[in-house]
Amino acid sequence: MKHQIAILDFGSQYTHLIARRIRQLGVLAKIFMPDDNLSEIGEVKGIILSGGPQTVGDESSVKYNQEIFGLDIPVLGLCYGQQLIAHHFGGEVMPGKTSEYSLANMSVINQSPLLTGLINKEKVWMSHTDSVVKVPADFSILGKTDTCPVVAMANEKEKIYGLQFHPEVTHTEHGMKIIENFVLDICGCEQNWSMEQYWQELQENVKKQVGDNNVFLLVSGGVDSTVCFALLEKILGKERVFGLHIDNGFMRLNESEWVKKALAKAGFDDLTVIDATADFLAAAKDVTDPEKKREIIGRTFLEVKNKVMTQRDMKADDWMLAQGTIYPDTIESGATKHADKIKTHHNRVQEVLDLMKMNKLVEPLAELYKDEVREIGRQLDLPAELLERHPFPGPGLAIRTLCSPNAEKVGDENKLEEKIRAAIDSKYQASVLPVKSVGVQGDNRTYHHPVALQGVLDWSALHDLSVEITNNFKEVNRAVYLVGPEDIDLDDIKSSEGYLDKARLDLLRRADDIVMEGVQVAGIYQDIWQFPVVLAPLGLEGGEAIILRPIESQEAMTVNFYQMEEEILRGLTKKLLAVPGIDLVFYDITNKPPGTVEWE
Ligand code: XMP
């Protein structure tokens, strides 16, 4: 199957998502590096320039092949891509004073084939700091917002277009329509790609790649590894696939037992289960840094796997490692050339990359997103109880247990807290919390302090406050709302020392179980895409805090925080505060970007 659209990857977190959206239209798009030769890119009907974490015109900015603008085919630049087009043709790009990571209302001021079918006020998703302030000659402005003068621009004669926002993320209400306008109408692509065809190609590719090897697969029991297990057994036969479930001590309450039973019920009676809690706890004993934690856990998975292979006399030469890696695991681990590393997913540690180089790694789902993996699972007749589970990360509760070597202090050089308090609605109290979490802002990784807010539970007001604070204060990447106890003084919250030990993990397991049961009973489990419950070493009387992070999403690349019914939330909070050792309950009110789903 030949690709009809080339996407040049300037390092956006969403580059692959653009390709995915175009596939949804039945058109194959392929990703290239910006400096690739035209001969590598091949004959295509259109080119898309992705976003990226850099600033155009900077010495260090990514070099691109300027010949793409002489090909006489349509070009669409997204975010950084639009800024690059403006810069290339003599327009002006300015670094913004503040960053914008939120929905914006675009006013359409000029009609264009790119915007056919759109209304005059469009909800679009922005994630940027720099902006085009003057379009080049022969370009017209198609859309603007109150804060951004050039949200969409075009040179209709040459069919060169730019959008400051991201049409590829689901938050942009008519993003898919814009992509369709570009790919089908402006570029004139044929709709000749299908999922069935992809599924056929996938089976052939796996057979070819695996050859005579057997495959060793780590099965957590989550959607991706379970689908991968089913798929490999279908393609290669049960006897060539060894599935191992490792209880790493970071699983949910009684989860390993559940996984074994549920998989057996679905016909996978050949899953081996071992308890390696001691290995993992020993390896991560003194670690507080999230990236180190992730690396150590990823490595320990492989050490345990190697131990099992030795015990069972399995010869390394005869076996490949299979993983249920999906695309977000790859992009967030900074695997494409210009992308920033947001976090190292457990299946992307150096040892795994080494296996990849030796062609000893097979990852049949690595191109796909969670909803596509679920679709393949349905084609394989896997039961809903396995396919509809919330996603759960490989490092499990380890990356939901925040650790701290000592009581941390917030650096208040610039009196951040006072500035925030002065800037926001005085109905809310605000405090910068002395812990940190990972975020993604304008395609870059951040590791910053969250702000805690206290006041009335009004989701709409809290949403706007969260966006206001994270857009205006670069030192903050997340906001949380104090659900209970309601009558405390935020200034009384203190951080304490805390590591990855069994007692803290057990406390989190108990809290997580209360929450999971609560959302099942309330009938909202399926409305929530994923629900991390986080333990933070923050308390009043030497106890800890629980942070609830339910989200809505389609593929975890962009996320809205879930707005829970107050009665359900109050009920959960009451139960959580009744657990000895839990002093505080917060609710994460951050979208992604600027926060990631997981805190670490
Ligand atoms: P973030 O936190 O980066 O998460 O917004 C996006 C999605 O990826 C999951 N996640 C992981 N999954 N291994 C995994 O298998 C990992 O190391 C890992 N880290 C994050 C996360 O739960 C969310 O669904």
Side-chain angles (χ1 to χ4, degrees):
M1 166 75 38
K2 176 133 176 35
H3 61 283
Q4 300 179 68
I5 297 282
I7 302 167
L8 303 194
D9 181 18
F10 288 89
S12 168
Q13 292 292 308
Y14 308 132
T15 304
H16 195 269
L17 202 51
I18 308 170
R20 155 88 206 278
R21 295 287 175 247
I22 298 174
R23 282 206 300 270
Q24 275 172 266
L25 293 170
V27 174
L28 188 61
K30 217 171 144 190
I31 297 168
F32 295 90
M33 285 300 110
D35 56 356
D36 278 350
N37 289 327
L38 295 186
S39 58
E40 280 168 85
I41 293 173
E43 236 175 77
V44 288
K45 295 196 168 135
I47 293 181
I48 296 182
L49 314 179
S50 81
Q54 316 198 358
T55 290
V56 285
D58 266 9
E59 290 253 312
S60 60
S61 65
V62 178
K63 300 283 168 284
Y64 63 99
N65 183 349
Q66 308 214 353
E67 287 169 314
I68 55 165
F69 291 113
L71 287 178
D72 204 21
I73 55 171
V75 179
L76 170 64
L78 305 177
C79 196
Y80 178 90
Q82 155 160 295
Q83 294 157 18
L84 182 134
I85 291 173
H87 183 76
H88 180 91
F89 290 100
E92 217 176 298
V93 178
M94 288 272 282
K97 282 194 208 77
T98 58
S99 305
E100 191 178 18
Y101 311 109
S102 53
L103 272 180
N105 278 315
M106 172 177 75
S107 309
V108 176
I109 55 174
N110 272 308
Q111 281 310 322
S112 160
L114 186 68
L115 305 182
T116 302
L118 268 67
I119 51 176
N120 286 341
K121 281 268 177 215
E122 279 293 331
K123 282 208 174 73
V124 298
W125 180 260
M126 308 274 250
S127 174
H128 70 118
T129 306
D130 302 347
S131 305
V132 176
V133 289
K134 189 169 155 244
V135 296
D138 302 326
F139 277 72
S140 55
I141 300 176
L142 303 180
K144 59 174 191 160
T145 66
D146 292 343
T147 52
C148 187
V150 185
V151 175
M153 63 177 200
N155 177 337
E156 300 287 1
K157 194 164 149 266
E158 300 295 332
K159 296 193 177 165
I160 300 178
Y161 300 89
L163 299 172
Q164 184 51 62
F165 60 92
H166 291 274
E168 68 276 24
V169 308
T170 46
H171 292 4
T172 297
E173 211 167 9
H174 295 119
M176 202 53 200
K177 178 69 185 141
I178 298 175
I179 293 174
E180 184 186 318
N181 289 341
F182 181 73
V183 171
L184 301 186
D185 300 337
I186 297 174
C187 300
C189 293
E190 279 168 58
Q191 292 172 281
N192 56 9
W193 182 92
S194 68
M195 191 68 187
E196 291 80 59
Q197 198 184 353
Y198 182 81
W199 174 231
Q200 290 305 327
E201 281 175 18
L202 180 75
Q203 299 190 49
E204 280 158 33
N205 290 344
V206 169
K207 268 192 209 144
K208 206 154 90 194
Q209 196 198 349
V210 172
D212 295 335
N213 287 288
N214 296 318
V215 296
F216 192 119
L217 174 73
L218 297 178
V219 185
S220 70
V223 178
D224 309 337
S225 61
T226 304
V227 170
C228 193
F229 195 26
L231 179 146
L232 288 171
E233 290 206 338
K234 178 179 159 61
I235 300 175
L236 304 171
K238 272 182 187 273
E239 59 294 341
R240 291 178 62 197
V241 182
F242 183 84
L244 177 72
H245 173 86
I246 302 176
D247 182 353
N248 52 14
F250 308 135
M251 303 299 282
R252 292 183 148 143
L253 195 66
N254 305 326
E255 188 164 15
S256 291
E257 281 161 51
W258 186 91
V259 167
K260 189 167 167 72
K261 279 198 198 127
L263 280 167
K265 207 165 103 194
F268 301 98
D269 45 8
D270 51 344
L271 180 73
T272 304
V273 178
I274 59 161
D275 183 355
T277 303
D279 298 54
F280 280 85
L281 285 188
K285 196 161 77 70
D286 303 319
V287 189
T288 55
D289 175 74
E291 267 303 290
K292 284 211 186 91
K293 219 189 244 184
R294 285 174 162 276
E295 275 163 31
I296 286 172
I297 293 168
R299 211 177 302 142
T300 310
F301 269 118
L302 295 186
E303 281 166 15
V304 173
K305 172 218 134 203
N306 290 340
K307 229 194 271 183
V308 170
M309 286 187 74
T310 311
Q311 282 160 1
R312 290 176 176 250
D313 221 5
M314 297 157 109
K315 295 199 177 47
D317 280 352
D318 302 340
W319 290 83
M320 286 180 97
L321 176 69
Q323 296 196 125
T325 309
I326 61 172
Y327 193 74
D329 300 331
T330 311
I331 182 66
E332 301 220 331
S333 297
T336 64
K337 195 168 165 197
H338 302 298
D340 200 20
K341 187 201 270 188
I342 310 300
K343 35 182 95 167
T344 305
H345 282 215
H346 75 289
N347 38 15
R348 276 287 168 270
V349 292
Q350 188 56 46
E351 286 76 357
V352 170
L353 301 181
D354 293 344
L355 286 172
M356 194 188 281
K357 271 193 216 133
M358 291 151 57
N359 198 22
K360 281 286 180 192
L361 182 72
V362 53
E363 297 187 316
L365 309 174
E367 288 280 304
L368 305 177
Y369 289 85
K370 190 73 81 185
D371 50 343
E372 293 174 307
V373 173
R374 287 193 167 119
E375 183 51 45
I376 291 192
R378 280 189 279 272
Q379 293 191 21
L380 288 164
D381 288 330
L382 287 174
E385 75 164 346
L386 286 169
L387 290 182
E388 260 130 57
R389 303 183 77 198
H390 285 174
F392 190 64
L397 300 183
I399 53 166
R400 297 178 178 174
T401 304
L402 307 194
C403 299
S404 173
N406 45 44
E408 267 191 55
K409 275 244 159 302
V410 180
D412 65 349
E413 304 86 74
N414 47 9
K415 305 254 186 304
L416 179 62
E417 196 164 275
E418 274 149 59
K419 282 194 203 158
I420 294 174
R421 284 177 180 173
I424 67 169
D425 184 339
S426 58
K427 280 201 291 231
Y428 286 93
Q429 312 301 313
S431 173
V432 178
L433 292 178
V435 285
K436 281 186 186 167
S437 81
V438 178
V440 53
Q441 291 171 284
D443 285 324
N444 292 294
R445 173 194 164 91
T446 57
Y447 188 48
H448 290 157
H449 294 282
V451 163
L453 296 168
Q454 185 182 27
V456 272
L457 201 171
D458 171 347
W459 288 134
S460 166
L462 287 166
H463 172 275
D464 292 351
L465 256 185
S466 161
V467 169
E468 181 189 335
I469 294 172
T470 50
N471 274 350
N472 291 318
F473 298 92
K474 287 192 177 148
E475 306 88 330
V476 174
N477 59 3
R478 216 179 265 274
V480 294
Y481 171 72
L482 177 75
V483 196
E486 287 174 80
D487 53 357
I488 63 152
D489 186 338
L490 287 179
D491 288 336
D492 290 339
I493 298 176
K494 290 185 187 57
S495 75
S496 56
E497 201 176 338
Y499 296 94
L500 252 190
D501 55 46
K502 187 162 179 316
R504 294 189 77 217
L505 284 158
D506 282 342
L507 182 61
L508 177 54
R509 252 187 284 275
R510 192 163 163 199
D512 178 76
D513 195 54
I514 290 172
V515 175
M516 287 305 119
E517 197 194 314
V519 295
Q520 294 274 12
V521 170
I524 54 172
Y525 184 86
Q526 290 305 341
D527 302 340
I528 297 171
W529 197 82
Q530 188 176 12
F531 198 155
V533 176
V534 177
L535 183 77
L538 293 172
L540 300 168
E541 310 287 342
E544 306 232 23
I546 288 295
I547 303 153
L548 305 174
R549 169 89 172 127
I551 55 144
E552 293 177 326
S553 185
Q554 280 194 9
E555 66 292 286
M557 296 302 293
T558 55
V559 155
N560 277 342
F561 77 86
Y562 174 78
Q563 305 190 357
M564 193 179 288
E565 234 175 76
E566 181 162 358
E567 202 184 323
I568 303 174
L569 179 56
R570 296 276 174 220
L572 285 179
T573 305
K574 195 164 159 210
K575 283 192 185 147
L576 289 168
L577 289 175
V579 175
I582 297 180
D583 282 1
L584 301 161
V585 175
F586 291 104
Y587 197 92
D588 192 333
I589 51 170
T590 323
N591 297 331
K592 172 183 176 178
T596 48
V597 177
E598 307 288 349
W599 273 51
E600 295 199 324

